[in-house]
Structures are given as structure tokens and as C-alpha cells.
Amino acid sequence: MGDNVHTVHAKFSLLRVICTADEQNVKAILSSQANDWEFGRIRGDFLRKLTGSNVFSLEGQHGKESRSRIRAALSRENVSTFSVYERHFQGHLLNVSTDDSGSGWTEVLDLQPIIFGLSLDIIAHILFGSSVHGETLEKQSQILAKGGSDTAYLPDAQSFIDSQDHLLKSMAFASIFGKFYRFTPDFNYYRARNAARKYVDWFVRRRLCQMSTVKADLAAKDKRIVLLNELSYMTQDPIQLRDETVGLLAAGRGTFAALLTTVIYRLAKTPRAFNKLRDTILSELRGCKYLQYCVNEGLRLGTPAGSTIRQALCDTTLPSGGGPDGKSPIFIPKGQQVTLSYFAMHYRADI
């Protein structure tokens, strides 16, 4: 990548790699020529092995059905409950203590564990109606008893938190090593995957038990939107419900935490922007456009998904990247993988 060079190809041993940050090529792969492309067997197999069959690993007709279910449940009004965010933020704020000088400032601390915990609680609340850190086993037992399931299968929340951390690392290593990931030792992978599934299965069983009783009618009238509840109206397959929610949980937690970390870091490095944002929020929190600008800039500078890979289903072309000037179409043979670099594209000064 360089000035006016936005699509490159290279060979590593027998592997031919194409990487593009050209907006025309990205649009073609993801939109206008989307039928010519797929995730690829390596990514699809790994994601299905990691999180099951869900919107991130299914393709074709099954993928369309999964996307339609998620799109119907994830409407803007369903996930924009400000009170949920505030409740969990205040809960995690208790973990931050001030120094002994009485100034009100904290000592130097690592915010990342707090941010990851906050993001996990918010995503879990949206998906299941319950947080991870905020629900003690005793409280969960009371909820479970009301739902009518067997408390003997109640999982350990801490095991779930640890499993999420490990699965995120596994996804990161898989994206780096690609098809060679199967040769890297990962002795705790299956233990982490099973712990995550066991935790989610508890909520799925509770929801299905509710639907089999008169409580389903009460839940339908509940104004609090829970994604698992919405999905359960479309399918009652426990495996399908588990896979869909596990995939969203894994994807939502990491991206949300990465974005929040980037925004906080950039604001700390830019006092002018921080002061302006603080003054703006104090005067008008709802509909705060400058806050949205800061979030958008955080997405540009530190995009949580820096790149993605697509594989050609058939012989096809990309509209840009060929010829002496790099603006002519290029031929892509069937089976060729192309990396879409959103990170590089976000740093282009010409778009």
C-alpha cells in the first residue's frame, strides 16, 4: 500500500495473497458482486467450530435466514436502552477507587479489564436480560427457579468470563495463521468453548421453559426487549438459539470494548476534544452530535475489525487495481482469497 496504490498482491511460498484498500473493490465484493464471494472454507469451518452455526459462519440460504432473524430482533429501539448502559457503568465504576489525597482523582490504573467487563455485561444484558458480573449465583438461582429449569446445571459466571477471554484470543490467532491454525497448540480451546456454551444454554433453557407456561404471555407484554426472547418467537430449536447468541456475544463484546478503548485513548491524547465533548455532554446529552463525531472518529482511527477475508466462488474480476495506472479491472480466479483492509482504507487521505 502507498500513494495511489491501494491493491497489491504477493506470493509467500505457494500462497498468493491479494490485499485491497480500494473502495471500489470493497463495494464490489460486499455488495454489487457479493454472489461471487464467500467467507471461505477455512474461516467458515473455524467459526462454526468456535461459535456454532450463526450469522457469522453460515452462507447461502441459511446465512440469509440467520441475518433476517438477527436484523428483525436488533432494531434500533431494541438496543438503545440508556438505563441499561448507565446501570452497568455505575456498577463497574465502583471498582475504580480514588487516591488518599482527597483530590477525587484515581491512581494510575489499567482501564482495559474494566472496559471488557463493562462491554460483556451490556452485551449479555441485551442478549439475555441479565448481566454476567451483576448476577450472583444466588440471584441466578432465584431467577432459574422461577423459570422452572434444573438448578443443578447452573454454570459458573467466572468460568464463562474466562472462556470468553480465551475464545477471543483463539479468534485472533486464527485470523493470523489462517489454515495453519490447526497446527498451533491450543489445549484449553475445547474447555473454553464448552464453558461458554454451558452458560448460554442456561438462559436458553430458562426461556424455553417460560414459553411452555403462561409466563410466555407475560413476557410478550414486557416492554424490556431481550434478543433471546425475540429470537425464540422465530425458532424454538435450543441449538440454533444458543449458536446465534454465542456468536453475537463473542463478536459484540470484543468490538464494543475495542471501540471504547480507542475513544478513551484518543480523547486522553487530545485535551481540546475531550474538553469540548465534556462541555457538550453536560449541556445536551441526548442527540449529542459531537459525541457521535467522536465515536465515528474512533471507528476510523482504530476500527475494531481491521480487515476481513473473502474467497472467490468462481472466476471473477475486481473493478480496480490492474493496468499501469492501477485503475483497470483485475482477474480473480476461483478459490483466490482477497483481504479487505478497512484499517488502511480509513487512513486514506483521498476518501
Side-chain angles (χ1 to χ4, degrees), residues 74 78-79 84-85 87-88 92 115-135 140 143 157 160-161 164 196 199-200 202-204 206 224-229 231 244-254 256-257:
L74 280 179
N78 286 1
V79 297
V84 171
Y85 308 145
R87 168 188 165 186
H88 293 302
H92 284 273
I115 291 174
F116 267 90
L118 173 64
S119 65
L120 179 60
D121 276 345
I122 291 176
I123 297 299
H125 201 120
I126 293 172
L127 291 178
F128 310 122
S130 299
S131 65
V132 176
H133 294 85
E135 304 289 352
Q140 285 185 348
I143 298 174
F160 174 72
I161 295 170
Q164 284 291 294
Y199 190 87
V200 174
W202 180 82
F203 290 100
V204 172
R206 186 187 75 177
R224 185 185 64 176
I225 300 298
V226 177
L227 182 64
L228 178 60
N229 295 357
L231 290 174
E244 291 286 13
T245 49
V246 165
L248 289 171
L249 188 64
R253 182 203 179 191
F256 180 80

Side-chain angles (χ1 to χ4, degrees), residues 67-315:
R67 286 191 293 273
S68 66
R69 286 193 297 268
I70 298 301
R71 190 179 298 114
L74 280 179
S75 62
R76 181 181 179 87
E77 58 270 16
N78 286 1
V79 297
S80 59
T81 306
F82 181 78
S83 59
V84 171
Y85 308 145
E86 179 65 15
R87 168 188 165 186
H88 293 302
F89 173 76
Q90 293 297 335
H92 284 273
L93 195 62
L94 296 176
N95 297 324
V96 180
S97 57
T98 58
D99 58 24
D100 298 330
S101 65
S103 64
W105 290 97
T106 66
E107 298 179 351
V108 176
L109 77 160
D110 185 1
L111 281 177
Q112 196 165 49
I114 299 175
I115 291 174
F116 267 90
L118 173 64
S119 65
L120 179 60
D121 276 345
I122 291 176
I123 297 299
H125 201 120
I126 293 172
L127 291 178
F128 310 122
S130 299
S131 65
V132 176
H133 294 85
E135 304 289 352
T136 63
L137 289 181
E138 179 181 359
K139 190 173 181 180
Q140 285 185 348
S141 297
Q142 296 172 357
I143 298 174
L144 187 59
K146 294 179 181 179
S149 298
D150 187 357
T151 56
Y153 295 97
L154 185 66
D156 180 10
Q158 186 58 49
S159 297
F160 174 72
I161 295 170
D162 295 339
S163 71
Q164 284 291 294
D165 292 338
H166 188 83
L167 290 178
L168 284 175
K169 293 178 183 178
S170 297
M171 294 177 71
F173 277 111
S175 65
I176 295 173
F177 291 105
K179 65 180 180 180
F180 300 107
Y181 175 75
R182 68 188 67 179
F183 302 110
T184 61
D186 191 353
F187 303 109
N188 293 319
Y189 163 74
Y190 288 103
R191 183 185 304 172
R193 186 193 66 178
N194 292 338
R197 288 181 173 181
K198 184 178 180 181
Y199 190 87
V200 174
D201 280 340
W202 180 82
F203 290 100
V204 172
R205 286 196 307 272
R206 186 187 75 177
R207 175 57 185 164
L208 294 179
C209 286
Q210 288 175 344
M211 294 192 71
S212 64
T213 66
V214 294
K215 293 181 180 180
D217 296 332
L218 297 176
K221 298 177 182 178
D222 190 357
K223 293 183 179 180
R224 185 185 64 176
I225 300 298
V226 177
L227 182 64
L228 178 60
N229 295 357
E230 298 299 305
L231 290 174
S232 67
Y233 294 129
M234 307 174 197
T235 178
Q236 284 77 52
D237 183 350
I239 303 300
Q240 195 171 38
L241 290 173
R242 181 194 68 192
D243 289 351
E244 291 286 13
T245 49
V246 165
L248 289 171
L249 188 64
R253 182 203 179 191
T255 52
F256 180 80
L259 172 60
L260 196 55
T261 302
T262 299
V263 171
I264 291 175
Y265 173 78
R266 293 291 179 175
L267 286 173
K269 290 286 187 178
T270 317
R272 178 186 58 81
F274 171 78
N275 292 330
K276 181 177 179 179
L277 177 61
R278 185 176 185 275
D279 294 340
T280 305
I281 289 178
L282 291 175
S283 60
E284 48 167 344
L285 178 55
R286 295 202 177 269
C288 179
K289 292 185 178 180
Y290 191 72
L291 174 60
Q292 185 62 58
Y293 298 156
C294 291
V295 171
N296 290 343
E297 187 67 356
L299 286 170
R300 184 185 74 83
L301 295 174
T303 173
S307 64
T308 189
I309 297 175
R310 290 294 187 271
Q311 182 172 303
L313 279 169
C314 57
D315 290 347

Side-chain angles (χ1 to χ4, degrees), residues 36-47:
D36 294 345
W37 300 87
E38 63 176 355
F39 291 140
R41 182 178 60 83
I42 297 172
R43 171 183 161 168
D45 290 349
F46 174 77
L47 287 178

